Amino acid sequence: MKKSNQLTDSGAPEAGRVVSASSPGHLSLEGMHGSVEVPPHQAGFWQQWRAYVGPAILISVGYMDPGNWGTDLAGGAQFKYSLLWVVGLASMMAIFMQVISSRLGVVTGKDLAQCCRDWYPSWTRWPNWLFCELAIGACDLAEVLGSAVALNIMFHIPLLWAVIITGLDVLLLLALQRFGMRTIEAIVLLLVATIAACYFIEIFVLPQMHPDLLEMGRGLFTPSLRQEGMIVGAIGIIGATVMPHNLYLHSALVQSRKFQKDEDSIRSAIRFNAIDSIAALTVAFFVNAAIMVLAAMVFYGKTSVTVAGGQIVKFSPDSDWIRIAYLTLAPLLGTFTASALFVIALLASGQSSTITGTLAGQVVMEGFMHWRIKPWLRRLITRALAIIPAVLIIGLRGDSSVTDLVNLSQVVLAIQLPFAMFPLLHFASSRKRMGGWKLGWFLLIAGWGSALLITAMDIWGLPDSLKSAWHVIIGG
């Protein structure tokens, strides 16, 4: 089929036509755009898969960041397996949304921020951009706290100073970028895979740790929000899993693949990006579920845990679970080894997520506002916006506020989600914008159903969310 770059007067694709890239001179992540060659669509499955795999892996790292760990640990410790269904539901909705986001980027040649700028009234640019920045700042707050906890455990640095030190990670990021992003992500994924393997062995191999599979099944397949605090916990898990800035970022990252614009090539790109998303986010689901299950077995209904050497670690419902999470690995690895492995993985996942946050920040700033600034300056601004509230809250309330802050950041993300989901679905469902590649009936129902369910949960949980926010701020 002959390559076509024709557009309608409105800048939208004609029905049945192939879509052009975004306007010249306004490419987001310009250095990455079309930088990865892909074989022709006639090539074998594995050859094409190797070329397309990558964007969803980068996205999935954000689904296994300290924010996820904090909400999963708190959910398992407080409600045992009762919120497993939320982890499963959130992961499934994340897959739907990321598949749709990648489809939008492949077909239109634009990322979601560019679509919003080009196809919505100009007055919406500023509020949309500011909402996105709020979400990125909230996400980065979780990375700040995760990295600070890791430094606190590893070097016994007071948490307040550890938070301030994380502001210097921009220098580390610049140093590591010389080795290439794929190298960094490969290292981080190896660490996360190690953690996942340890959790798997603890759950299914060690005789003293076998969970009740029937009870786990009930938690996974029987939705319930009856206990006090469950609604905020559920919204926090969804906010940590379905991340609004990832919807903008994924639609930009898929354009790093240099594929032809004929019908068969676009079909292949859509297919392999969907496979990439499903595989990467399924792994993220199992990691998050394993963290919740181990937290439930180690912490739920207990006031202390005896670890190797006879040491007794006490905790309460108000404990900072992310700071004692290494105990979930202690039966397998011993307290020292578990602590070291947990700290390394937590620090690495936080640093990896800072890359995602920086890229997402560039995408929304360049897409909505057509502003370009140096990546290190972009990183410094984002990190400063995250450090300020962390320093204020920890300075006023002390170290006991870490879990509250992490969970609150995820609630902010969940509340921001509709502002990313509805434009994404609006464009992807439109024949005017997508031509013959608009969403089919399954993704149409799954996408809109997910968006409406998340929005309904946001509205339902808003009173509890505001109460939780007030508790974090004043410590009451």
Side-chain angles (χ1 to χ4, degrees):
M1 181 177 176
K2 186 178 179 180
K3 180 178 177 181
S4 171
N5 288 327
Q6 293 180 340
L7 300 176
T8 64
D9 292 339
S10 64
E14 296 178 9
R17 298 259 188 185
V18 178
V19 187
S20 74
S22 53
S23 302
H26 294 297
L27 299 176
S28 295
L29 305 179
E30 189 171 5
M32 298 172 58
H33 199 93
S35 59
V36 180
E37 296 284 346
V38 299
H41 66 85
Q42 300 95 336
F45 176 88
W46 293 110
Q47 187 179 355
Q48 290 194 75
W49 179 81
R50 283 195 301 270
Y52 280 106
V53 69
I57 292 177
L58 186 62
I59 293 296
S60 72
V61 171
Y63 288 81
M64 296 177 277
D65 71 348
N68 291 90
W69 292 24
T71 53
D72 294 334
L73 288 163
Q78 296 175 39
F79 307 112
K80 204 173 183 180
Y81 308 135
S82 298
L83 291 180
L84 268 178
W85 69 273
V86 179
V87 176
L89 179 64
S91 299
M92 184 171 63
M93 292 190 294
I95 289 173
F96 293 146
M97 289 298 169
Q98 296 300 161
V99 166
I100 294 171
S101 174
S102 67
R103 188 187 187 102
L104 180 73
V106 166
V107 173
T108 64
K110 300 173 183 280
D111 59 63
L112 179 57
Q114 291 170 331
C115 291
C116 290
R117 177 187 171 90
D118 292 347
W119 297 334
Y120 281 156
S122 58
W123 65 265
T124 63
R125 293 171 190 169
W126 275 92
N128 273 334
W129 173 60
L130 290 173
F131 278 133
C132 289
E133 293 291 357
L134 177 64
I136 293 169
C139 180
D140 207 51
L141 175 59
E143 323 310 351
V144 165
L145 294 168
S147 298
V149 167
L151 293 173
N152 173 255
I153 296 174
M154 186 182 295
F155 301 112
H156 305 290
I157 300 171
L159 194 63
L160 182 61
W161 285 106
V163 167
I164 296 172
I165 289 171
T166 60
L168 302 176
D169 75 348
V170 63
L171 303 177
L172 176 63
L173 177 61
L174 290 173
L176 290 177
Q177 280 182 324
R178 293 183 303 168
F179 299 100
M181 189 174 297
R182 285 187 177 274
T183 301
I184 298 171
E185 293 304 320
I187 294 171
V188 172
L189 285 174
L190 178 62
L191 290 167
V192 172
T194 302
I195 288 286
C198 291
Y199 281 137
F200 177 84
I201 293 171
E202 277 206 89
I203 293 173
F204 296 107
V205 177
L206 294 186
Q208 70 269 32
M209 295 299 289
H210 281 183
D212 186 332
L213 295 180
L214 184 61
E215 191 175 3
M216 284 175 56
R218 282 198 297 267
L220 186 59
F221 297 108
T222 308
S224 173
L225 292 172
R226 290 176 298 197
Q227 297 181 46
E228 183 180 355
M230 270 190 168
I231 294 176
V232 172
I235 293 175
I237 290 171
I238 291 174
T241 306
V242 189
M243 308 183 83
H245 60 280
N246 271 348
L247 301 181
Y248 292 93
L249 181 59
H250 203 174
S251 58
L253 289 177
V254 295
Q255 296 173 54
S256 63
R257 270 51 184 175
K258 191 175 182 180
F259 56 90
Q260 297 299 313
K261 298 298 182 179
D262 61 89
E263 185 175 350
D264 289 332
S265 296
I266 290 179
R267 182 179 292 107
S268 290
I270 291 172
R271 177 191 178 199
F272 283 100
N273 277 295
I275 293 172
D276 191 25
S277 300
I278 293 169
L281 296 185
T282 298
V283 171
F285 159 71
F286 282 115
V287 170
N288 288 324
I291 292 172
M292 180 174 285
V293 168
L294 263 298
M297 288 193 290
V298 174
F299 298 127
Y300 180 75
K302 300 176 184 177
T303 57
S304 64
V305 168
T306 302
V307 297
Q311 179 189 2
I312 297 177
V313 179
K314 295 184 178 181
F315 47 84
S316 69
D318 296 325
S319 293
D320 271 335
W321 301 109
I322 197 168
R323 299 184 68 194
I324 57 175
Y326 69 90
L327 294 176
T328 61
L329 293 171
L332 174 61
L333 301 170
T335 307
F336 177 79
T337 307
S339 176
L341 183 60
F342 173 81
V343 164
I344 291 170
L346 182 60
L347 186 60
S349 68
Q351 293 303 306
S352 177
S353 295
T354 65
I355 298 173
T356 304
T358 302
L359 292 175
Q362 288 179 246
V363 168
V364 299
M365 181 178 287
E366 293 172 3
F368 280 119
M369 310 305 294
H370 285 180
W371 294 344
R372 284 198 175 96
I373 61 175
K374 297 287 187 182
W376 66 266
L377 181 58
R378 166 74 230 182
R379 181 81 206 108
L380 198 60
I381 294 171
T382 303
R383 182 48 57 104
L385 292 175
I387 284 178
I388 290 171
V391 168
L392 289 175
I393 299 299
I394 293 174
L396 291 172
R397 290 187 52 199
D399 294 359
S400 63
S401 57
V402 172
T403 295
D404 283 343
L405 276 168
V406 170
N407 291 343
L408 179 61
S409 72
Q410 307 312 307
V411 171
V412 171
L413 286 173
I415 292 175
Q416 158 61 16
L417 260 174
F419 297 97
M421 292 187 300
F422 287 115
L424 172 65
L425 291 165
H426 176 208
F427 299 138
S429 305
S430 169
R431 181 172 292 275
K432 180 180 179 182
R433 305 305 182 191
M434 298 283 285
W437 302 107
K438 73 182 186 67
L439 298 182
W441 67 268
F442 177 77
L443 280 178
L444 199 66
I445 294 172
W448 283 104
S450 298
L452 292 172
L453 178 59
I454 291 171
T455 304
M457 289 188 69
D458 281 349
I459 295 172
W460 184 21
L462 187 58
D464 284 339
S465 299
L466 294 175
K467 181 180 177 182
S468 175
W470 186 248
H471 170 78
V472 171
I473 293 169
I474 69 170

